[in-house]
Amino acid sequence: MKKYLIIIPLAAVMVSSCSVKSPTEGSIVIDMAKKGAEVPSSMYGVFFEEINHAGDGGLYAELVQNRSFEEKEYPEGYFAEGDKLHAPPLKNHLTMKVSEETYRWNSEDIPGWSLESTGAEKAGMKLTRQNPLDPATPNSLQIIIPKDAGESVLVNGGYWGMGVKSGECYDLRFYLRTDEYKGGLIVRLMSSGGQVIANAAINISKNPGWNEYKVPMIPGQTDAKARLTFGFSGEGTIWIDYVSLFPENTFKNRPNGLRKDVAEFLADLHPAFIRWPGGCIVEGISLINRVEWKKTLGDPMTRSGQYDTWGYRNTYGFGYHEFLQYCEDIGAKGMFVCNVGLGCQYRVGDACKDGDVQFYINDVLDAIEYAVGDQSSQWGATRIAAGHPEPFPLQYIEIGNENWGPLYNQRFETFYKAIKAKYPQLTLISNHSLKSDMSGVTRTDMIDPHWYVDPDFFFDNSHIFDTLPRGKYGIYVGEYACNQKVGGGNMLAALSEAAFITGMERNSDLVKMASYAPLFENRNDRTWPVNLIWIDNLEVVGRSSYYVQKVMAENKPTYNLKTVIIPRAVSTIEPKAGNSFADSTRQFSVGGYDETTGEIIVKVVNAEEKPWQAKISINRGGRISRHGEAVTLRADSLKAENSFEEPLKISPVTTKYDAFSNEFDYEFEPCSLTILRIGIEK
Ligand code: AHR
């Protein structure tokens, strides 16, 4: 590290002293003859996890909350008390201690649902496990309606309301069971103001047992907080289960698909890969509530779901198949993260017995087979039967999530060998960070350091990869975000990430992949402090960090060019001991060349609240064209944030620029990331 930091600034000073003239403050020198590493197409990906209602109430298009009446189910061995869920006392395999862990618990009797009667007598409802619709989803709702109840109205309020659009079709699907109910049923969509915006009369079947009903609902009005109601006019007992209201107009019209606007907004990032299912939910608070991908397949009516590490029930609606389908739909590679028989080490941290490890190895091998196997394999045949004959684009397997220590290393080694032997074409990733003890690990293809930090960390560490040893494994920065001291995620956060990204791109021979985390937040459930994309029932908002990710990915060069930045004129530079010049100020740059368009790409971060004047020199590259483009992401202040009211306040603007040359002056705006695309004369 030290060697680099001494040599590069001195070389830069020599260039600077002859090329920087007043009033220019600094300079960027790009050497076209010094071709750097290829910037791989895998570089910019995304990390999905069911956190902050990212899927349920977010990307996944279902509008009914608690559709299977399973939300009061907790993992085996847990117990609920008021609004707390208690995890069982299990030994953490690292600390050997047993901790008392409690988690958020919804204390309502039947979350998402309410029942009102208009008459003198009142109907009642309760959950029951008698005669389940499907064994995987044991609960249903029993409604007992007495005489003189008038109309008894069962209401689902969705995930903080239901976003519906005028004239669009919503498929209502539900199941009823009754033997003696006498009376009518009208299903309605109600606006937030209490008007009926769609309705249908249901002819209740006399067939015994569960009967399925499918009804298209087309609201005559757009509403962000509509509700679904079932109005029973008669008396008797009725059981109801699996109530789903699903837009027909999903992303690419996939059944059981994704909210179109959210899926498109994510696709606009052009992610090279998607990581699924997370995150801590891979491990579970303890092993018992880890994500079980096999339970996420098939008719969503049969999916059990699971109480999620982040304090609510994951319906498993956005399951393994839907994830792989979305990857295929947007041209991304899939990354599946498997459990290695370890519960979350930040939480309960239990470990399965060594004798049970094979179960988890088989589980990940089955997952891979589901994605890429053929008809002759059990899980390949299951995928084909689900309507997808071709393999899915699964490319990466991460072995565990945020696991560490001797037991993890031992398990990683076993998993790595088993997966590699069968699927040598896959890239296998370990959880190790830059400083992990990797004793016992013979080989990993990539390691996965995570950073959730404050802005100074990213500004001060944009060179962290420069001097790391090469040749052993690649780096996948699987989770990173500036999420401390930056409000809900302001421009300072975004620019510090941009500065860090310049370092990742500059070191793309080593850092081959990165994904910001977490990805989504339903605005009503900010469990994690800062997230990339905010979701409301009808709106999607990208934070400034979203636009950093977007413009960085859209302007990925084919390879790097040697780029030296001198943020201040020589006489004013006072680098902090041990830091490079770039570290002591708030300007950062990386340059590269795009072979497909024949342009030089210069990315420049100016994280100060004043303009930065720089002279840009492009050496040894032939004659530079005058004409090109500047993509600018800027804010009025470092504290500025996007919001639902001003979603595009901080968003990129592309302008033509006609004054490029081999040496030109450029004024970088205050609080900005600028990407210059510069052509070369033929
Ligand atoms: O991104 C949120 C959480 O941060 C992830 O679930 C976990 O891997 C990390 O600790």
Side-chain angles (χ1 to χ4, degrees), residues 95-141:
T95 61
M96 301 309 272
K97 288 192 181 132
V98 175
S99 56
E100 282 203 7
E101 302 267 336
T102 57
Y103 294 87
R104 158 169 92 134
W105 183 247
N106 188 337
S107 57
E108 291 168 68
D109 285 344
I110 306 171
W113 296 93
S114 63
L115 181 67
E116 297 148 15
S117 299
T118 56
E121 299 296 323
K122 301 294 168 201
M125 64 175 182
K126 66 171 188 190
L127 295 175
T128 174
R129 283 172 156 250
Q130 280 173 1
N131 296 322
L133 172 62
D134 187 274
T137 59
N139 296 284
S140 60
L141 186 73

Side-chain angles (χ1 to χ4, degrees), residues 91-316:
K91 200 182 281 173
N92 183 304
H93 73 90
L94 273 175
T95 61
M96 301 309 272
K97 288 192 181 132
V98 175
S99 56
E100 282 203 7
E101 302 267 336
T102 57
Y103 294 87
R104 158 169 92 134
W105 183 247
N106 188 337
S107 57
E108 291 168 68
D109 285 344
I110 306 171
W113 296 93
S114 63
L115 181 67
E116 297 148 15
S117 299
T118 56
E121 299 296 323
K122 301 294 168 201
M125 64 175 182
K126 66 171 188 190
L127 295 175
T128 174
R129 283 172 156 250
Q130 280 173 1
N131 296 322
L133 172 62
D134 187 274
T137 59
N139 296 284
S140 60
L141 186 73
Q142 183 189 49
I143 305 168
I144 300 174
I145 308 172
K147 198 162 174 272
D148 298 331
E151 189 182 39
S152 297
V153 185
L154 176 68
V155 183
N156 188 282
Y159 294 96
W160 301 280
M162 297 175 178
V164 295
K165 291 188 183 153
S166 174
E168 297 210 352
C169 185
Y170 296 82
D171 294 326
L172 175 63
R173 176 184 171 196
F174 61 97
Y175 289 78
L176 288 185
R177 182 165 70 80
T178 181
D179 35 23
E180 39 78 50
Y181 172 78
K182 288 181 201 64
L185 166 60
I186 298 181
V187 291
R188 304 179 181 101
L189 271 175
M190 306 294 294
S191 73
S192 43
Q195 282 95 36
V196 177
I197 54 176
N199 65 81
I202 307 295
N203 195 1
I204 297 182
S205 169
K206 300 264 181 282
N207 293 338
W210 288 104
N211 291 289
E212 184 186 42
Y213 298 82
K214 287 185 168 175
V215 189
M217 307 283 283
I218 303 179
Q221 192 178 308
T222 295
D223 201 298
K225 288 190 185 295
R227 292 174 306 148
L228 173 69
T229 69
F230 291 76
F232 297 97
S233 57
E235 64 177 277
T237 303
I238 290 204
W239 289 264
I240 186 165
D241 203 354
Y242 193 72
V243 182
S244 169
L245 184 68
F246 219 94
E248 233 167 46
N249 187 16
T250 56
F251 182 67
K252 298 220 181 251
N253 294 318
R254 299 276 175 216
N256 191 44
L258 306 180
R259 217 177 100 174
K260 192 163 183 277
D261 56 345
V262 182
E264 283 174 352
F265 201 75
L266 185 55
D268 282 350
L269 286 179
H270 316 291
F273 62 90
I274 305 176
R275 170 171 168 161
W276 184 96
C280 293
I281 72 166
V282 169
E283 310 123 272
I285 293 169
S286 61
L287 272 172
I288 194 79
N289 81 320
R290 70 190 186 279
V291 172
E292 294 184 71
W293 70 271
K294 286 176 183 161
K295 295 183 178 173
T296 74
L297 302 179
D299 185 342
M301 184 269 279
T302 66
R303 299 187 193 182
S304 61
Q306 178 56 278
Y307 175 80
D308 184 89
T309 304
W310 300 107
Y312 59 95
R313 196 167 189 84
N314 178 351
T315 66
Y316 283 173

Side-chain angles (χ1 to χ4, degrees), residues 47 49 51 279-281 310 346 401-402 450 452 479 517-518 528:
F47 165 104
E49 178 168 32
I51 180 173
C280 293
I281 72 166
W310 300 107
Y346 291 114
N401 174 70
E402 288 193 345
H450 294 175
Y452 292 106
E479 298 181 36
W528 191 264

Side-chain angles (χ1 to χ4, degrees), residues 367-374 377 380 383 391-394 423 425-426:
I368 300 168
E369 188 176 285
Y370 184 89
V372 303
D374 62 20
S377 64
R383 182 199 72 243
F392 279 121
L394 181 73
Y423 299 103
Q425 77 277 18
L426 297 182

Side-chain angles (χ1 to χ4, degrees), residues 378-658:
Q378 181 194 346
W379 289 100
T382 309
R383 182 199 72 243
I384 293 165
H388 199 281
E390 296 304 317
F392 279 121
L394 181 73
Q395 178 56 43
Y396 306 98
I397 300 293
E398 178 142 358
I399 299 174
N401 174 70
E402 288 193 345
N403 294 132
W404 69 93
L407 188 57
Y408 171 68
N409 285 357
Q410 189 189 318
R411 292 201 176 170
F412 174 80
E413 185 75 1
T414 321
F415 274 68
Y416 184 92
K417 285 184 180 148
I419 301 170
K420 226 15 168 203
K422 202 160 177 199
Y423 299 103
Q425 77 277 18
L426 297 182
T427 307
L428 307 186
I429 304 166
S430 70
N431 299 165
H432 299 104
S433 66
L434 301 185
K435 292 182 181 157
S436 288
D437 180 349
M438 294 176 71
S439 326
V441 173
T442 322
R443 177 157 171 72
T444 177
D445 300 345
M446 305 189 88
I447 61 167
D448 173 9
H450 294 175
W451 283 285
Y452 292 106
V453 294
D454 66 16
D456 287 345
F457 179 92
F458 279 151
F459 288 131
D460 291 347
N461 285 282
S462 73
H463 288 275
I464 195 168
F465 304 106
D466 292 1
T467 51
L468 291 179
R470 270 44 182 181
K472 278 192 174 166
Y473 39 72
I475 294 179
Y476 158 48
V477 180
E479 298 181 36
Y480 72 102
C482 173
N483 69 353
Q484 292 166 31
K485 306 182 205 160
V486 289
N490 59 25
M491 188 60 167
L492 179 62
L495 292 176
S496 75
E497 289 149 9
F500 196 66
I501 292 170
T502 64
M504 294 202 270
E505 235 183 52
R506 184 174 55 249
N507 288 280
S508 57
D509 59 320
L510 182 65
V511 183
K512 295 174 185 300
M513 303 168 73
S515 44
Y516 181 101
L519 189 56
F520 290 122
E521 157 191 318
N522 181 306
R523 72 182 303 184
N524 300 291
D525 186 26
R526 182 175 288 176
T527 312
W528 191 264
V530 176
N531 307 286
L532 195 65
I533 298 169
W534 296 337
I535 302 171
D536 199 350
N537 290 351
L538 291 177
E539 286 161 289
V540 194
V541 173
R543 286 185 35 247
S544 43
S545 294
Y546 168 90
Y547 291 107
V548 165
Q549 295 289 325
K550 188 169 189 303
V551 297
M552 287 293 193
E554 284 173 346
N555 294 282
K556 185 194 80 59
T558 314
Y559 56 81
N560 284 308
L561 293 169
K562 183 176 179 192
T563 306
V564 174
I565 179 169
I566 304 172
R568 295 276 172 264
V570 179
S571 59
T572 65
I573 296 174
E574 285 178 32
K576 286 191 274 180
N579 280 351
S580 73
F581 293 152
D583 292 337
S584 61
T585 72
R586 293 260 160 118
Q587 283 82 29
F588 303 82
S589 182
V590 65
Y593 183 70
D594 184 345
E595 276 182 347
T596 51
T597 61
E599 289 167 301
I600 299 159
I601 299 176
V602 189
K603 298 176 173 172
V604 182
V605 176
N606 176 24
E608 291 190 57
E609 286 184 325
K610 57 181 187 183
W612 183 58
Q613 309 274 348
K615 181 168 295 297
I616 300 180
S617 310
I618 300 171
N619 297 338
R620 300 197 285 174
R623 218 165 124 218
I624 294 304
S625 160
R626 288 179 64 75
H627 310 290
E629 274 183 356
V631 180
T632 309
L633 181 70
R634 60 163 298 280
D636 291 341
S637 84
L638 291 170
K639 286 197 171 151
E641 292 187 28
N642 282 345
S643 63
F644 281 91
E645 293 68 39
E646 291 183 283
L648 296 175
K649 186 164 84 172
I650 308 170
S651 55
V653 174
T654 302
T655 47
K656 296 265 171 246
Y657 191 79
D658 293 323

